[in-house]
Amino acid sequence: MTEKPESLPMTSLHALPHHDGSELYAPIRTPILGGLYTVRLRVPVEFGRIGSAAVRVVSDGEPCFHSMAATAPVTGTGGGCEWWTAEFEIPNQVTRYRFLLNTIDGDAWWLSADGVDRIEPTDSRDFRVTTFDPAPEWAASQVMYQIFPDRFARSAAADDRSLPDWAQAAEWTAPVISTGPHTSRQWFGGDLDGIVEHLDHLERLGVTLIYLTPFFPARSNHRYDASTFDIVDPLLGGDPALIRLVEAVHARGMRVIGDLTTNHTGAAHEWFTAALGNPSAEESDFYYWTNAQQTEYVAWYGVPSLPKLDWGSDTLRRRFIEGPESVVAKWLQPPFNLDGWRIDVANMTGRLRDVDLNRDVQRTVRQTMDTTAPGRVLYAESTNDAAGDFDGEGWQAPMSYSAFTRPVWHWLRQPSGDPAHHFGIPFRVEPRYSAADVVKSYRNFTAPYPWAVRELAMNAIDTHDTPRFAQQADDAAQIVAAGLSMTLPGTPVIFAGDEFGLRGTHGEDSRTPLPWGDTPRLAEAYGGLARLRLGSRALQRGGLRWLHADDECMIFVREASEEVVLVFASSGAATVQLPCGAFGAVGEAAVTFGEAAAEQFADEVRITSTGLAFAVWRVVEDTATVARSPQADAGRVIDLARAGL
């Protein structure tokens, strides 16, 4: 056998052993402490014959090995491979495991969540299975649409509302003030009834889950500085408007989640004003005071309008996150009936110097949700490496920029010469990634997640806190990025206005009112991608197996027991040949953007593109089936030309 390097190149990913926590490779979906757990391992023949294999499980901190047995092939995953299976008892609530493969020619290889290597990996890179209650079944199949209420749509009722002293009224078509003291004061008048009036638009996009940024009263247009958690901001229509919105959304089979800030309140919040300068107030222990008079305090990043909450307070916990009378529970129950929360600044919540109560807050929020309103979902913001906070016990899914957003930007955007927009990272020269770099970065940041977390992680190409992707990428690049968002494991995210190709150089500048008189030129493309995902079990719940990555393109399969799809994305001209044994044979094209084609030969598939392209093909068992070109399958294919691009 040809000698292998210490680690194998990204262009040979199809030849590597594979496991992930999806149902194809770990069929027990609700593991229990002390119960048996089954793991499967796929080993391509190109990798070499396996003499023996074992799964290494860390039990109560001590590694132990369980022998694996060669078993029958799993249907629908391609030929040319061996399958190995093992069972072990789950010893801990979070159990780590990896695989050892001994080849017949004397090599020993490790397979961890990080990939295949001769070098023994650290335990932090192991696969993880947890026994915590899973997220609701519906959550993994959603297409999320993020709405910044002030900028989405304005109902006629907004004309009759009196403005508070902080707000500065602006015409809907006025330019956004994106710098200076008036940035957060500019009020365009978007409201919740305005969202109801445009639900047809969201349905056409394939949206199934609306994520509302905060709807509580505040002294800013972003409302992350809440002045109370007891009512909906009258500027948005008040409590009745939220009830109308949720009822209208539910009537269409869609869902709504809210946005809750657990790290801080606003300086105008009733709790803070009661305690400011008043050490005897019941709310005094809700915040971190730095002088005895309680006139100086700790604030988020030193911003005075955002005083930080002290989660050592039992009273704060009871009011905010604990039990059926808490803020967390109130909005999930009738008459409001939200379907879950996204937690703002979750990574900083409960953390200050030598204090770390983050996990306590997570557990309490989750317990309150599960006991008072079962079947709700809990997303949480973590701006960088989120692995340490996400094992499924508390927060269920991260909203992060490290695994997907930043690497995709580094690959697909056009050079601007201005790196200042890079998510707060002070690069001197803007990074340029290859497709292989994107895959490596994605694997690096997602490897430590349990599969249940990966299935829900938010895949956003931009949000209200980032530049607009369209600021530095053309429409074709945006569709390639959106295609990856829809087909990689996780929750695809559309930030309101992406379908119009809106631009913005940073987060504030990106919060542009939607131009409803214009044609949303990317809507058909987004809708096609969303419908593909919503109709595919493999894209919702299937495993992820990488086949190839180089400078220009990446190729992977999403595979479930009843369906396998092949996904291709390229930033330029590319030609890749893959053996049929890697996945089977390609059938009909489900979606093709740009010039991408797959040709089936007796023992290989050749995939080509002439530039920016994204394509998904369904995999079939019959290797004699020849993939048809996009032109021959025009009734099924959605392409850039038809989408007006």
Side-chain angles (χ1 to χ4, degrees):
M1 183 176 122
T2 303
E3 184 176 355
K4 297 184 179 73
E6 291 300 307
S7 58
L8 298 178
M10 302 290 276
T11 53
S12 301
L13 293 175
H14 65 86
L16 298 182
H18 178 74
H19 170 85
D20 58 45
S22 68
E23 59 190 14
L24 198 64
Y25 293 89
I28 298 173
R29 303 307 300 154
T30 54
I32 60 174
L33 191 64
L36 287 178
Y37 192 66
T38 301
V39 290
R40 295 171 178 162
L41 180 65
R42 183 186 190 277
V43 184
V45 294
E46 299 103 310
F47 185 77
R49 293 280 309 279
I50 301 299
S52 65
V55 57
R56 173 191 181 270
V57 180
V58 179
S59 176
D60 301 328
E62 179 69 18
C64 54
F65 289 85
H66 302 266
S67 296
M68 304 189 74
T71 53
V74 176
T75 302
T77 57
C81 62
E82 292 182 287
W83 283 84
W84 294 74
T85 302
E87 282 187 337
F88 57 86
E89 287 188 4
I90 295 183
N92 305 110
Q93 285 187 300
V94 179
T95 298
R96 300 180 183 272
Y97 64 95
R98 73 178 71 142
F99 300 93
L100 173 64
L101 293 80
N102 299 299
T103 63
I104 60 173
D105 58 2
D107 280 339
W109 293 83
W110 296 97
L111 172 61
S112 68
D114 220 17
V116 179
D117 211 310
R118 279 200 174 101
I119 305 302
E120 183 176 356
T122 63
D123 287 0
S124 66
R125 312 312 290 174
D126 282 352
F127 297 102
R128 291 197 292 172
V129 56
T130 70
T131 61
F132 305 122
D133 291 338
E137 181 70 19
W138 61 264
S141 61
Q142 303 304 298
V143 173
M144 180 185 288
Y145 189 87
Q146 183 192 12
I147 293 178
F148 191 89
D150 185 60
R151 311 295 163 85
F152 182 74
R154 177 185 175 117
S155 75
D159 294 339
D160 299 325
R161 293 181 184 131
S162 299
L163 296 190
D165 58 1
W166 63 264
Q168 298 180 1
E171 294 295 325
W172 195 255
T173 56
V176 171
I177 299 173
S178 59
T179 58
H182 300 292
T183 299
S184 64
R185 300 177 182 176
Q186 192 177 25
W187 179 78
F188 285 90
D191 56 14
L192 300 182
D193 286 321
I195 299 173
V196 175
E197 293 171 3
H198 290 277
L199 290 179
D200 286 346
H201 171 76
L202 300 191
E203 276 199 312
R204 286 192 292 270
L205 284 178
V207 172
T208 60
L209 177 62
I210 296 172
Y211 153 34
L212 297 174
T213 58
F215 50 72
F216 301 112
R219 293 188 60 79
S220 69
N221 51 41
H222 56 70
R223 297 184 172 87
Y224 284 102
D225 57 332
S227 56
T228 182
F229 296 122
D230 287 345
I231 63 171
V232 174
D233 193 339
L235 292 178
L236 295 176
D239 289 4
L242 180 62
I243 295 169
R244 287 193 295 270
L245 171 61
V246 175
E247 288 178 349
V249 169
H250 285 175
R252 294 173 182 250
M254 301 159 67
R255 292 179 168 87
V256 187
I257 63 171
D259 200 337
L260 197 58
T261 301
T262 56
N263 179 71
H264 54 262
T265 66
H269 197 284
E270 57 202 6
W271 299 341
F272 185 76
T273 57
L276 182 66
N278 183 13
S280 64
E282 183 181 32
E283 295 84 0
S284 288
D285 63 354
F286 288 17
Y287 299 91
Y288 291 97
W289 305 100
T290 58
N291 67 347
Q293 297 77 28
Q294 290 187 187
T295 57
E296 299 175 4
Y297 51 92
V298 176
W300 177 79
Y301 273 108
V303 178
S305 62
L306 302 173
K308 185 175 177 67
L309 289 166
D310 180 355
W311 285 104
S313 168
D314 291 336
T315 304
L316 173 62
R317 292 184 184 217
R318 286 194 299 272
R319 288 202 201 175
F320 200 168
I321 64 174
E322 189 175 78
E325 303 302 319
S326 66
V327 171
V328 164
K330 171 181 176 176
W331 300 96
L332 304 178
Q333 300 178 87
F336 305 104
N337 295 315
L338 289 178
D339 297 289
W341 290 111
R342 178 262 190 188
I343 303 297
D344 183 58
V345 199
N347 52 314
M348 298 180 73
T349 293
R351 289 175 171 146
L352 182 67
R353 295 187 288 272
D354 60 340
V355 174
D356 192 343
L357 300 173
N358 186 273
R359 184 51 65 102
D360 293 339
V361 175
Q362 286 193 42
R363 292 188 184 112
T364 305
V365 172
R366 178 72 178 277
Q367 183 179 24
T368 295
M369 292 177 65
D370 288 349
T371 55
T372 62
R376 268 51 171 193
V377 69
L378 181 57
Y379 298 92
E381 180 185 31
S382 184
T383 53
N384 196 56
D385 183 358
D389 288 337
F390 289 83
D391 57 18
E393 181 184 21
W395 317 137
Q396 291 173 319
M399 179 185 188
S400 181
Y401 301 112
S402 53
F404 180 83
T405 313
R406 290 201 299 259
V408 168
W409 271 68
H410 295 337
W411 178 40
L412 292 176
R413 78 178 196 292
Q414 298 164 348
S416 69
D418 177 14
H421 71 282
H422 274 292
F423 309 95
I425 301 175
F427 291 116
R428 183 173 180 272
V429 177
E430 56 186 351
R432 300 298 301 169
Y433 276 14
S434 66
D437 293 332
V438 177
V439 173
K440 184 176 180 180
S441 182
Y442 178 85
R443 294 173 71 182
N444 186 48
F445 282 102
T446 61
Y449 293 149
W451 189 259
V453 173
R454 290 186 67 180
E455 283 186 326
L456 297 186
M458 292 169 63
N459 295 332
I461 63 173
D462 50 25
T463 73
H464 70 296
D465 278 333
T466 76
R468 289 278 186 178
F469 190 76
Q471 182 67 29
Q472 292 198 27
D474 61 18
D475 289 348
Q478 184 168 329
I479 293 305
V480 173
L484 291 173
S485 172
M486 296 281 186
T487 55
L488 284 168
T491 303
V493 181
I494 306 168
F495 177 33
D498 284 349
E499 69 272 29
F500 289 89
L502 295 185
R503 299 164 65 89
T505 57
H506 51 76
E508 299 285 356
D509 191 39
S510 299
R511 302 171 187 178
T512 309
L514 266 61
W516 289 111
D518 297 347
T519 300
R521 64 180 186 275
L522 302 182
E524 183 176 348
Y526 270 99
L529 289 167
R531 286 186 289 275
L532 171 67
R533 173 184 166 80
L534 295 172
S536 170
R537 172 75 177 180
L539 292 179
Q540 294 173 21
R541 306 305 295 260
L544 168 66
R545 182 158 53 89
W546 295 99
L547 302 181
H548 176 94
D550 58 25
D551 286 348
E552 300 294 341
C553 73
M554 62 180 71
I555 305 173
F556 57 91
V557 290
R558 297 293 309 279
E559 46 192 0
S561 57
E562 64 270 48
E563 180 191 29
V564 178
V565 296
L566 175 69
V567 181
F568 169 83
S570 70
S571 60
T575 299
V576 179
Q577 296 176 190
L578 294 170
C580 288
F583 52 86
V586 289
E588 294 177 337
V591 168
T592 300
F593 295 115
E595 296 296 324
E599 297 176 274
Q600 183 79 55
F601 298 95
D603 57 357
E604 71 177 26
V605 174
R606 181 182 301 153
I607 301 175
T608 59
S609 67
T610 59
L612 277 160
F614 180 82
V616 178
W617 292 274
R618 303 194 186 280
V619 173
V620 297
E621 288 291 326
D622 182 5
T623 56
T625 299
V626 177
R628 293 179 285 175
S629 70
Q631 292 74 22
D633 200 28
R636 299 176 181 270
V637 174
I638 302 167
D639 59 36
L640 287 174
R642 286 179 57 218
L645 304 180

